[in-house]
Amino acid sequence: MPRIAVALHADFADWEPALLMAAARYYLGCDVVTASPDGQPVVSMGGLKVTPDISFAEIDPERFDALVIPGGYAWEKGEAFDFTELAGDFHAKGKVVAGICAAASALAATGILDGVAHTGNSLASHRKYPGYQGAEHYRDQPRAVCDKGVVTAPGSAPDTFAMEVLKALDLWTPEAQAEISAFAAEHR
């Protein structure tokens, strides 16, 4: 089964990776590993205290099939980790790289969105990063986008974010579809 690394900052948006993590771990039997910058506990925006399994330095594309980065206030506070090298390594090895909300804009800063279809909270939030050159590939839509193993979503789309990450990992089975669809039923 695939191994998924979920990179958590202090003040991460706890609702953004929750459905993906639960579906992948509980229903599909994946190994979901949480990480923080230094391996120490982090507290989410909602007050959820998470004791991670590893530090960011231990996230290695040789050991994981996906790097998932939820958004949160670390970017607004200027305290976010620079994912350029880590996301670039995952992408170069053909592994799934996924960012939602502010983390999608953080991926814009890495350059990996420059050549793939993507979305996020807004094009303006991506353009805050001077190195971003992917505006022509930006999709202004409320659903997640997956292209060439890169998944992006606005913060309001945790359901389709989970769905697109599972598809990128070739885990979009009837069981996965049933579970995600049940949680997203209110959006029909």
Side-chain angles (χ1 to χ4, degrees), residues 4 6-7 12 40 62 65 71 78 94 98 100-101 119 153 160 169 176 181 183:
I4 301 169
V6 182
F12 72 95
Q40 295 301 305
E62 297 298 329
D65 301 292
I100 181 171
C101 194
T119 192
T160 58
L169 289 168
S181 296
F183 286 103

Side-chain angles (χ1 to χ4, degrees), residues 54-114:
I54 60 174
S55 70
F56 286 178
E58 296 171 88
I59 300 174
D60 182 344
E62 297 298 329
R63 296 178 47 219
F64 293 96
D65 301 292
L67 170 64
V68 174
I69 311 166
Y73 279 104
W75 286 274
E76 285 80 359
K77 292 178 175 180
E79 299 171 355
F81 181 80
D82 180 353
F83 285 99
T84 302
E85 185 177 339
L86 188 57
D89 287 349
F90 268 76
H91 188 60
K93 291 189 180 344
K95 303 295 179 104
V96 174
V97 178
I100 181 171
C101 194
S105 293
L107 291 180
T110 71
I112 67 170
L113 301 186
D114 292 350

Side-chain angles (χ1 to χ4, degrees), residues 26-44:
Y26 192 78
Y27 297 109
L28 300 173
C30 295
D31 187 14
V32 178
V33 177
T34 57
S36 72
D38 57 5
Q40 295 301 305
V42 291
V43 178
S44 73

Side-chain angles (χ1 to χ4, degrees), residues 96-186:
V96 174
V97 178
I100 181 171
C101 194
S105 293
L107 291 180
T110 71
I112 67 170
L113 301 186
D114 292 350
V116 299
H118 61 277
T119 192
N121 289 340
S122 69
L123 181 57
S125 66
H126 290 1
R127 285 186 166 153
K128 289 179 183 175
Y129 294 94
Y132 174 61
Q133 303 296 313
E136 69 271 16
H137 301 290
Y138 184 80
R139 305 293 182 260
D140 187 14
Q141 65 183 54
R143 299 175 52 83
V145 171
C146 180
D147 189 19
K148 300 176 188 156
V150 178
V151 179
T152 53
S156 58
D159 298 335
T160 58
F161 181 69
M163 180 177 77
E164 292 300 334
V165 172
L166 294 176
K167 285 180 179 180
L169 289 168
D170 292 324
L171 292 172
W172 195 240
T173 63
E175 181 180 23
Q177 186 172 1
E179 292 304 326
I180 299 297
S181 296
F183 286 103
E186 70 180 298

